[in-house]
Amino acid sequence: MRRLALSASAALAILAAPALASAAPAATQADLEKRFDAQIDPAEMDGWMKAMASAPNHVGSPHDKANAEYMQAKFQSWGWDARIETFEVLYPTPLSETLEIVGADPFKATLQEPPIPGDTTEHAMAGALPAWVAFAGDGDVTAELVYVNYGMPDDYKALERLGIDVKGKIVIARYGNGWRGLKPKLAQEHGAVGCIIYSDPKDDGYWQDDVYPNGPERPAHSFQRGSVADMTTYPGDPLTPGVGATRDASRLAIADAKTILKIPTLPISYADAQVFLSRLSGPVAPASFRGALPITYHVGPGAEVHLATKADWSLKTLYDVVAVMKGSTYPDQWVLRGNHHDGWVFGADDPLSGNVAMMAEAKAIGALARTGWRPKRTLVYLGWDGEEPMLLGSTEYAETHEAELKTKALIYINTDDIGRGYFNAQASHDFQRLINGVTADVTDPETQVSVGQRLRAKLMVDAAAPGATAHDLAMGKIAAGPADLPVGPLGSGSDYSAFLQHLGIPAINLGYGGEVASGGTYHSAYDTYEYYSRFVDPGLAYSAALARTGGRLVLRMSQSDLPQQRFSDFAETVGGYLDEIGKLADAKREAAQTQARLLKAGAYGLASDPRRPLLAPSAEASVPPIDLAPLAKAVDRLKQSAKTYDAAVLASGAGLSADKQAKLQAMTRDIDQLLLADVGLPFRPWYRNMIYAPGRFTGYGAKTLPGVREAVEEGRWDDAARYAVITAKVLDAYSDRLDQATALIHGA
Ligand SMILES: [Zn+2]
């Protein structure tokens, strides 16, 4: 493997390989990127952020539409062919909401975020959404309250051992440790009638740092809005799965839309949550349930709570900005680059910190075009609307243009909210080398070394710290060596999902962050321009670095005559995933055997404290042998095919004729689409990628080889065997294509 590792200069040598006929002046890639960098102006980006974050900009708000028009006008003034594409999507907005404790000592939750002096909230809150999560059910319920910690599957197991059932109850869960929407979904599956989600100060409040306006963390009356649509089934408009939500699209009835939850749900602040939690009796919460509020946490039940929400379930219009610069040499090969422009309130960090970087790239590329340069491939810059409610704008665009995108797109490059600090990326792993090459060439604003070098330093320091995890140690070891840094897999949580997981178009998501503890104003009204410029990225130095990073990826994809993938990285990574699944199955088998022994011996009863009794857990199903052999065989073949291709292209790629280079590009352009299986994943056929998916029980977090891995995790043994075969088949098709490409290089 290592012998194929390219140095940065070798990568540039490939990029500067003999070019096909082009109207562009003979500039080297490095030169082009230098001229691109010179156009990035953080002060100007700061102005765009300030303007776009000056009023609430959620879907359906006047400023959301105005921002789309603002971007369109900017793109046009920079020489792009820019239009606004609209969709009509279901998007509920709150009509009324109530959350209160009833009975002898009543209490009403605030459900509003008060203004902070000197902050945008002081003067621009008109039209802002109150405490709200989109796509929960309407309802009016009164019931006792139970505290369910993060509301994840293990939390319900812990409650079961305490003898606590949530059937007919309202649950209160804290944010974190799993995606927001899973909390009400799992609550309703356990029979709860309502759900409250609060932000505990341990996770993003005073436990982490000073709170806004004195520091970056969440103040006492702030809450996190968000969507709870069941994106793990499918993202996008709940009424039009698989097709674009155009005006005339046929739509499901709201009652038939699987991704809308049933029970009413509201987010609250920790100032309010403290009152609710302090009224609970019942057992003291297990240690893992305890947050940082100055109370003893009990799980309940207790306190009679009234929760009522009612929404306007009409269709709303989305405004996607689509800006195109036609390629001179390969106009029918598209490089896609997107960021969303809608927020929950003002959205300075989420999404505008990434959005202004994307805009800066477009402006810089427009300036290059003014000098007579043209991109070889067509560039498509996309300003998405409706990301926050559930990736609406990107999903509907991808579904509407599926056929054309599958024929033309090379890659989709995404950004979203960023922070100050270290580079991070999740991506289709065949592009890991490309990403590493770029990070070697972008300068970190705080240290002036490359962002790649800084990340390596951080990883090595973390690995040397006391208490470093096995993962930290492994990463530190890689960072200390000459090999590329691994990129993570893509789950969900931003606009790449439809491209990667529904269409099979490879994707990269990149960002910076890690120097603000937790993003304590996330999805709150306090995610303002003032907050962002004081605490997250003063002077937008990292948004500028993001533009230099995203712009380089776009330009290298656009200009290279040879494919930018290195397939061994993908093959080795998939091999690692398969090893993990094998170990997971073994660990589950052993745990089930141990538990069965303990149950049989009555050990749980003997170990239980009679004053704080714990019931024995429900028996785990025993784990049969799982036949992963077909998949193991396909992975071995993939490793061999990838290694052979990579060696061939390294040795002979640059010397190929222009015609052969173009053929090679055509063979590898859509290779990642071979990773789709039409049958899709169990319970969720919209997700067709057999390598990457958001986890059914993690949400944003990725599950790799998901058909097999989740079957093992959830004890669906037949599915595990079936998807080992399905996944092997897509990998074999991938290897076939690589072998054909290798044959082309060798002159066959
Ligand atoms: Zn976002």
Side-chain angles (χ1 to χ4, degrees), residues 217-236:
E217 294 301 328
R218 193 177 295 277
H221 290 279
S222 170
F223 45 80
Q224 183 190 138
R225 293 163 191 76
S227 176
V228 296
D230 184 10
M231 69 166 179
T232 62
T233 298
Y234 59 86

Side-chain angles (χ1 to χ4, degrees), residues 339-344 349-352 387-388 391 414-418 493-495 522-523 700:
N339 197 106
H340 70 103
H341 66 73
D342 66 303
W344 276 113
D349 181 23
D350 184 6
L352 296 173
E387 189 269 356
E388 292 297 355
L391 318 180
N414 190 70
T415 52
D416 200 327
D417 55 317
I418 63 152
S494 198
D495 291 302
Y522 178 65
H523 289 189
Y700 289 172

Side-chain angles (χ1 to χ4, degrees), residues 3-52:
R3 76 189 167 80
L4 291 176
L6 301 174
S7 71
S9 56
L12 288 174
I14 285 181
L15 287 157
L20 298 183
S22 161
T28 66
Q29 185 73 17
D31 203 42
L32 180 70
E33 291 174 6
K34 217 165 139 189
R35 290 194 288 139
F36 169 88
D37 278 352
Q39 297 291 329
I40 304 294
D41 176 5
E44 188 176 46
M45 295 161 73
D46 190 81
W48 301 335
M49 176 184 280
K50 200 169 180 179
M52 293 181 78

Side-chain angles (χ1 to χ4, degrees), residues 118-190:
D119 183 73
T120 307
T121 48
E122 200 180 23
H123 56 81
M125 282 298 278
L129 290 167
W132 178 243
V133 291
F135 297 111
D138 280 356
D140 189 332
V141 294
T142 302
E144 277 189 313
L145 193 65
V146 172
Y147 175 51
V148 297
N149 194 23
Y150 293 109
M152 291 293 122
D154 284 347
D155 298 319
Y156 284 99
K157 284 185 187 169
L159 287 168
E160 191 189 318
R161 295 199 61 197
L162 290 166
I164 303 293
D165 189 351
V166 303
K167 209 162 280 157
K169 305 283 196 289
I170 295 171
V171 303
I172 179 166
R174 58 170 157 157
Y175 269 113
N177 208 30
W179 174 63
R180 174 191 319 109
L182 290 169
K183 299 168 195 284
K185 184 185 175 187
L186 292 169
Q188 79 186 27
E189 284 173 6
H190 283 87

Side-chain angles (χ1 to χ4, degrees), residues 285-590:
S288 65
F289 278 46
R290 298 171 203 160
L293 289 169
I295 57 170
T296 301
Y297 287 67
H298 291 257
V299 295
E304 194 81 347
V305 170
H306 174 218
L307 166 63
T309 62
K310 191 169 165 47
D312 161 13
W313 291 87
S314 59
L315 300 186
K316 311 289 191 303
T317 305
L318 295 182
Y319 302 92
D320 281 352
V321 183
V322 181
V324 177
M325 185 174 289
K326 203 164 180 184
S328 59
T329 314
Y330 314 103
D332 286 335
Q333 295 181 14
W334 293 1
V335 178
L336 307 172
R337 167 77 174 95
N339 197 106
H340 70 103
H341 66 73
D342 66 303
W344 276 113
V345 187
F346 305 108
D349 181 23
D350 184 6
L352 296 173
S353 58
N355 195 57
V356 297
M358 180 180 79
M359 290 170 69
E361 292 166 37
K363 185 180 181 200
I365 289 168
L368 293 175
R370 283 227 167 89
T371 67
W373 171 88
R374 296 299 291 180
K376 288 186 185 174
R377 296 191 172 82
T378 294
L379 310 183
V380 185
Y381 269 59
L382 297 148
W384 305 119
D385 197 1
E387 189 269 356
E388 292 297 355
M390 197 37 64
L391 318 180
L392 302 179
S394 55
T395 303
E396 299 314 319
Y397 176 88
E399 290 175 344
T400 301
H401 301 289
E402 171 168 356
E404 189 172 23
L405 288 167
K406 289 184 87 160
T407 315
K408 296 180 176 171
L410 268 80
I411 195 163
Y412 172 70
I413 300 166
N414 190 70
T415 52
D416 200 327
D417 55 317
I418 63 152
R420 182 163 41 84
Y422 315 101
F423 174 80
N424 66 74
Q426 308 81 41
S428 299
H429 285 86
D430 37 338
F431 290 97
Q432 182 167 291
R433 169 90 283 272
L434 172 70
I435 295 165
N436 272 266
V438 164
T439 56
D441 293 340
V442 174
T443 303
D444 175 68
E446 289 175 331
T447 62
Q448 310 311 317
V449 300
S450 78
V451 297
Q453 195 183 337
R454 186 164 192 224
L455 178 57
R456 282 179 192 271
K458 166 76 172 156
L459 293 169
M460 289 188 287
V461 168
D462 284 353
T469 63
H471 176 77
D472 292 338
L473 293 171
M475 291 298 285
K477 206 167 163 189
I478 298 170
D484 281 348
L485 290 178
V487 298
L490 286 159
S492 186
S494 198
D495 291 302
Y496 48 78
S497 184
F499 294 96
L500 177 70
Q501 292 148 355
H502 192 59
L503 304 188
I505 295 166
I508 298 175
N509 183 59
L510 62 149
Y512 287 90
E515 290 184 324
V516 179
S518 73
T521 66
Y522 178 65
H523 289 189
S524 81
Y526 307 118
D527 179 3
T528 57
Y529 171 78
E530 293 78 18
Y531 170 85
Y532 191 80
S533 23
R534 282 186 63 202
F535 294 111
V536 185
D537 184 20
L540 270 65
Y542 278 92
S543 285
L546 185 67
R548 293 189 188 103
T549 316
R552 271 181 172 73
L553 288 170
V554 167
L555 291 173
R556 291 182 191 186
M557 286 305 296
S558 152
Q559 301 309 99
S560 164
D561 292 313
L562 279 173
Q564 290 294 289
Q565 295 105 316
R566 190 170 69 184
F567 293 104
S568 305
D569 295 329
F570 173 67
E572 295 297 328
T573 303
V574 171
Y577 294 152
L578 181 60
D579 292 344
E580 287 171 10
I581 294 173
K583 284 182 193 145
L584 173 71
D586 292 344
K588 266 186 85 86
R589 187 174 298 114
E590 205 180 308

